[in-house]
């Protein structure tokens, strides 16, 4: 057993360590860049912002989400390699568990060490940033994810309900460590792990490991089947999809519209439905929070004062970005990224027409995601709460909107946020499409350089200004080069170039006087970020052409 376990563990470690380093670098670099900007703009690094238990909970949510995503990707790779592994089932299950726990533990502790060196004082463990309890809980969570993954291979509604309830129970148990006087009580850091808490997590680990081994053995033997209810529901949805395709495939006016519809059904419609469900979830969570505070006598008309509004907005928008990115990066190439999907590569359209189809579908996905999450989820829950409070509250809310003095600033900020959403999603997709096989490797090489540069920028503000000016020059140069390459390859026309040039001249100049600071490099940096709005309209056609002819 030792030899097989060692081989599987070494294979998993070789697969996981580059991605783990990328995640750790992201967790360290993101607050460091934020601190660098605060140092450049305000002349002070925000140490007090990071030294709080609320930021600690936010860090736990983001970091655990990333590490569990790493665990899920590794499980999918192991499942694909399962027929080629001449080892026992217990070894195949235990090896990835040990490797995932090891990589997660090292990266998580390494991130905390960097946080201690950069942000915290000597009282960090006792006052606002515990490590022992969250680390043990994260290890338990990794084990439970492995167990749930293999147990849900023969999927059924009862299993889904059980694991959903178990996950919510684990979340509630964790929150009670930080809120010992109830969820409405004060927040205390989980500084000490009692013997009963340690025994509970050890018991869950052992049971989850046993369930994972037994479930994997059943999957490997081929004796598992989906529940009859699940089979009937999926069969009904599949037949409904086929009937819809047959009806909608009749009478397409052109090959362009037919390919657009096929790509939407193949890669975009499922993402849109998932984001619609996310918007409904955000709607009900926010509305429940508003109604709960209203029942306690706290009718607050400003949505920013709601304790749930900021967190739900942050996590829902992040979740929408992850869903779009995770779904659309796999929409161009096959699963192993070795070649372009057959129906896209052989379609009777030019590269320019095909890239226009894909750009239109991506833009449609982004608009619908904003519609479901921001307008329906966040805005709809607030409007429903105000309407439920009666005519007096509606009149008071309308009067506050009419007398609000910063309407223009609110609209300008909202426009900048919408552009930032498109910039992040579209440029991430185009970067991955341009060279997906070297994506993680490029990040590994780039993150240490950015980390060192950010550290120098914190302690030497002049160096920070130089970095901002360097970024401005690189962003404008990259945009110009991308448009020249796309035009030479006949992937875009002169009209697209003129529209992009007008945008780059008008919109950054419009936002120039909106920034509240006077430093020229910082203004150039903020305005230059808007140039990335038009960059995908050149890089995505280049990526489509490269994937089609490689």
């Amino acid at each position: 057993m030792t030899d097989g376990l060692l081989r599987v563990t070494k294979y998993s470690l070789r697969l996981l360590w580059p991605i783990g380093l990328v995640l750790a670098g992201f967790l360290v670099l993101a607050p460091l860049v934020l601190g660098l900007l605060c140092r450049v703009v305000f002349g002070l690094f925000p140490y007090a912002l990071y030294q709080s238990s609320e930021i600690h909970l936010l860090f736990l949510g983001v970091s655990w989400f990333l590490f569990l995503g790493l665990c899920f990707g590794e499980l999918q790779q192991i499942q694909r390699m399962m027929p080629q592994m001449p080892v026992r089932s217990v070894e195949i299950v235990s090896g990835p568990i040990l490797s995932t726990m090891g990589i997660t533990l090292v990266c998580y502790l390494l991130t905390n060490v960097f946080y201690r060196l950069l942000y915290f004082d000597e009282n960090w463990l006792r006052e606002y940033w515990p490590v022992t309890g969250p680390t043990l809980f994260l290890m338990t969570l990794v084990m439970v994810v492995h167990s749930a993954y293999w147990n849900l291979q023969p999927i059924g509604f009862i299993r889904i309900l059980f694991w959903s309830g178990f996950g919510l129970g684990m979340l509630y148990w964790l929150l009670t460590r930080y809120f010992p006087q109830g969820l409405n009580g004060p927040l205390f850091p989980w500084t000490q792990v009692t013997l009963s808490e340690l025994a509970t997590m050890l018991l869950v680990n052992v049971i989850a490991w046993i369930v994972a081994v037994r479930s994997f053995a059943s999957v490997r033997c081929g004796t598992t089947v989906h529940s009859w209810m699940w089979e009937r529901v999926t069969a009904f949805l599949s037949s409904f999809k086929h009937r819809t395709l047959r009806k909608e495939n009749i009478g397409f006016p052109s090959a362009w519209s037919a390919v657009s519809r096929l790509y939407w059904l193949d890669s975009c419609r499922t993402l849109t439905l998932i984001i619609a469900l996310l918007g409904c979830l955000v709607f009900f969570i926010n509305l429940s929070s508003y109604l709960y505070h209203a029942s306690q006598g706290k009718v607050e008309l400003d949505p920013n004062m709601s304790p749930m509004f900021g967190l739900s907005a942050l996590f829902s928008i992040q979740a929408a970005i992850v869903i779009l990115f995770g779904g659309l990066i796999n929409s161009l190439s096959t699963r192993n990224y070795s070649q372009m999907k057959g129906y896209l590569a052989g379609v009777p359209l030019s590269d320019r027409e095909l890239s226009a189809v894909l750009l239109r579908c991506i833009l449609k996905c982004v608009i619908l995601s904003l519609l479901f999450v921001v307008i329906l989820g966040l805005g709809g829950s607030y409007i429903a709460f105000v309407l439920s409070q009666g005519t007096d509250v509606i009149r008071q809310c309308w009067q506050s909107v009419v007398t609000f003095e910063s309407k223009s600033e609110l609209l300008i900020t909202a426009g900048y946020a919408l552009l930032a959403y498109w910039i992040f999603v579209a440029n991430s997709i185009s970067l991955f499409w341009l060279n997906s096989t070297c994506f993680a490797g490029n990040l590994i090489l780039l993150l240490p350089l950015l980390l060192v540069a950010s550290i120098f920028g914190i302690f030497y503000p002049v160096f920070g200004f130089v970095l901002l000016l360097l970024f401005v020059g690189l962003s404008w140069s990259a945009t110009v080069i991308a448009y020249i390459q796309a035009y030479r390859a006949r992937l875009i026309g002169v009209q697209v170039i003129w529209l992009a040039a007008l945008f780059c001249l008008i919109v950054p100049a419009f936002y120039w006087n909106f920034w509240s600071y006077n430093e020229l490099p910082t203004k150039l940096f903020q305005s230059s970020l808007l140039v990335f709005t038009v960059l995908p309209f050149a890089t995505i056609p280049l990526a489509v052409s490269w994937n089609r002819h490689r």
Side-chain angles (χ1 to χ4, degrees):
M1 176 177 177
T2 305
D3 182 61
L5 178 62
L6 182 61
R7 282 187 291 154
V8 176
T9 305
K10 287 174 62 177
Y11 171 77
S12 299
L13 287 174
R14 189 168 61 250
L15 181 71
L16 289 175
W17 75 264
I19 308 175
L21 289 181
V22 170
L23 296 183
F26 170 76
L27 291 173
V28 174
L29 190 63
L32 199 57
V33 172
L34 177 62
L36 172 62
L37 292 176
C38 293
R39 179 66 179 267
V40 171
V41 176
F42 304 108
L44 182 66
F45 192 84
Y47 292 102
L49 175 64
Y50 299 138
Q51 298 176 4
S52 64
S53 298
E54 290 80 7
I55 295 298
H56 171 65
L57 290 179
L58 179 62
F59 167 77
L60 292 183
V62 174
S63 61
W64 291 0
F65 180 81
L66 294 176
F67 287 128
L68 292 181
L70 169 68
C71 177
F72 182 75
E74 187 257 355
L75 281 169
Q76 288 185 319
Q77 183 70 17
I78 291 297
Q79 188 175 11
R80 288 194 293 268
M81 297 294 295
M82 182 174 58
Q84 305 175 16
M85 294 182 177
V87 291
R88 299 169 56 189
S89 297
V90 63
E91 298 169 351
I92 299 179
V93 173
S94 302
I97 289 176
L98 291 176
S99 60
T100 308
M101 282 188 171
I103 292 294
T104 302
L105 179 64
V106 171
C107 295
Y108 184 75
L109 293 180
L110 185 64
T111 304
N112 281 276
V113 168
F114 273 104
Y115 278 30
R116 168 65 182 94
L117 296 175
L118 296 173
Y119 314 129
F120 301 151
D121 53 23
E122 63 275 5
N123 300 321
W124 65 300
L125 288 174
R126 184 176 63 256
E127 294 183 358
Y128 51 83
W129 203 275
V131 173
T132 305
T135 304
L136 293 175
F137 187 84
L138 177 59
M139 298 299 101
T140 306
L141 200 58
V142 169
M143 182 71 76
V144 170
V145 168
H146 278 80
S147 180
Y149 182 85
W150 295 119
N151 190 252
L152 285 174
Q153 293 304 306
I155 197 167
F157 289 106
I158 296 178
R159 293 175 185 260
I160 293 175
L161 290 175
F162 169 78
W163 286 109
S164 300
F166 191 80
L168 292 175
M170 290 185 67
L171 177 61
Y172 178 78
W173 186 86
L174 176 66
L175 290 177
T176 55
R177 307 306 102 184
Y178 287 90
F179 298 91
Q181 300 179 10
L183 297 182
N184 294 325
L187 171 63
F188 296 98
W190 186 17
T191 55
Q192 293 183 352
V193 180
T194 63
L195 184 60
S196 61
E197 293 170 347
L198 180 61
T200 301
M201 288 186 282
L202 287 176
L203 180 62
V204 172
N205 272 279
V206 172
I207 295 176
W209 179 77
I210 295 174
V211 172
V213 172
R214 294 176 63 89
S215 301
F216 178 81
S218 301
V219 172
R220 197 181 190 189
C221 294
T223 59
T224 56
V225 292
H226 300 319
S227 68
W228 66 272
M229 181 62 72
W230 181 267
E231 291 285 356
R232 295 190 63 176
V233 171
T234 53
F236 171 77
L237 294 177
S238 179
S239 63
F240 177 76
K241 179 180 179 180
H242 291 160
R243 289 196 301 268
T244 304
L245 284 173
R246 285 196 299 267
K247 291 179 181 178
E248 296 182 354
N249 280 342
I250 299 174
F252 278 118
S254 63
W256 194 93
S257 59
V259 173
S260 176
R261 186 60 181 169
L262 181 59
Y263 180 77
W264 176 263
L265 294 175
D266 176 58
S267 304
C268 302
R269 187 171 69 170
T270 303
L271 298 178
T272 307
L273 293 177
I274 294 174
I275 293 177
L277 293 176
L278 175 65
C280 294
L281 180 64
V282 172
F283 176 87
F284 287 112
I285 290 177
N286 268 10
L287 183 59
S288 301
S289 175
Y290 288 136
L291 294 176
Y292 172 77
H293 284 85
S295 65
Q296 302 295 321
K298 304 175 183 178
V299 180
E300 182 57 65
L301 295 180
D302 186 0
N304 296 318
M305 298 302 293
S306 173
M308 281 298 298
F309 186 85
L311 287 176
S312 62
L314 177 65
F315 285 111
S316 60
I317 292 175
Q318 285 183 347
I321 290 175
V322 169
I323 292 170
L324 284 177
F325 178 72
L328 292 176
I329 62 173
N330 298 316
S331 64
L332 187 67
S333 302
T334 55
R335 184 173 292 273
N336 57 358
Y337 308 113
S338 60
Q339 60 183 357
M340 197 175 190
K341 288 184 176 180
Y343 76 92
L344 291 176
V347 70
L349 295 176
S350 64
D351 294 346
R352 181 173 175 176
E353 292 172 332
L354 181 59
S355 60
V357 170
L358 302 187
L359 266 171
R360 180 183 178 185
C361 291
I362 292 173
L363 187 60
K364 184 178 178 181
C365 285
V366 170
I367 294 174
L368 288 177
S369 65
L370 290 172
L371 174 66
F372 288 128
V373 174
V374 177
I375 298 180
L376 173 64
L378 299 174
S381 60
Y382 176 71
I383 294 174
F385 165 72
V386 172
L387 294 178
S388 66
Q389 298 303 306
T391 56
D392 294 336
V393 176
I394 296 174
R395 191 180 302 109
Q396 183 181 355
C397 180
W398 176 254
Q399 188 64 28
S400 63
V401 171
V402 173
T403 58
F404 187 63
E405 297 180 355
S406 302
K407 298 186 187 70
S408 59
E409 293 185 5
L410 180 62
L411 293 176
I412 293 174
T413 305
Y416 192 83
L418 294 178
L419 291 177
Y421 185 84
W422 162 256
I423 288 170
F424 192 87
V425 173
N427 285 281
S428 300
I429 294 171
S430 64
L431 179 63
F432 193 91
W433 281 1
L434 277 171
N435 199 355
S436 59
T437 56
C438 299
F439 186 72
N442 293 333
L443 283 180
I444 292 175
L445 295 175
L446 184 62
L447 285 175
L449 297 177
L450 292 176
L451 183 61
V452 173
S454 300
I455 293 175
F456 273 98
I458 291 173
F459 297 104
Y460 303 98
V462 177
F463 187 75
F465 283 113
V466 173
L467 283 178
L468 294 182
L469 291 175
L470 180 62
F471 176 84
V472 170
L474 290 176
S475 61
W476 282 91
S477 301
T479 304
V480 172
I481 292 172
Y483 270 86
I484 291 175
Q485 293 292 330
Y487 179 73
R488 286 179 177 177
R490 297 182 180 180
L491 298 174
I492 57 175
V494 179
Q495 184 180 6
V496 176
I497 296 178
W498 277 110
L499 290 175
L502 287 175
F503 181 92
C504 293
L505 290 175
I506 295 175
V507 177
F510 174 77
Y511 275 95
W512 183 264
N513 294 323
F514 172 71
W515 312 123
S516 58
Y517 30 78
N518 298 321
E519 292 82 1
L520 180 62
T522 309
K523 279 190 171 184
L524 284 173
F525 172 77
Q526 288 285 88
S527 298
S528 297
L529 289 176
L530 295 169
V531 177
F532 289 101
T533 305
V534 300
L535 184 59
F537 294 97
T539 54
I540 287 181
L542 288 172
V544 171
S545 178
W546 178 78
N547 280 276
R548 201 177 191 186
H549 301 290
R550 59 174 171 167

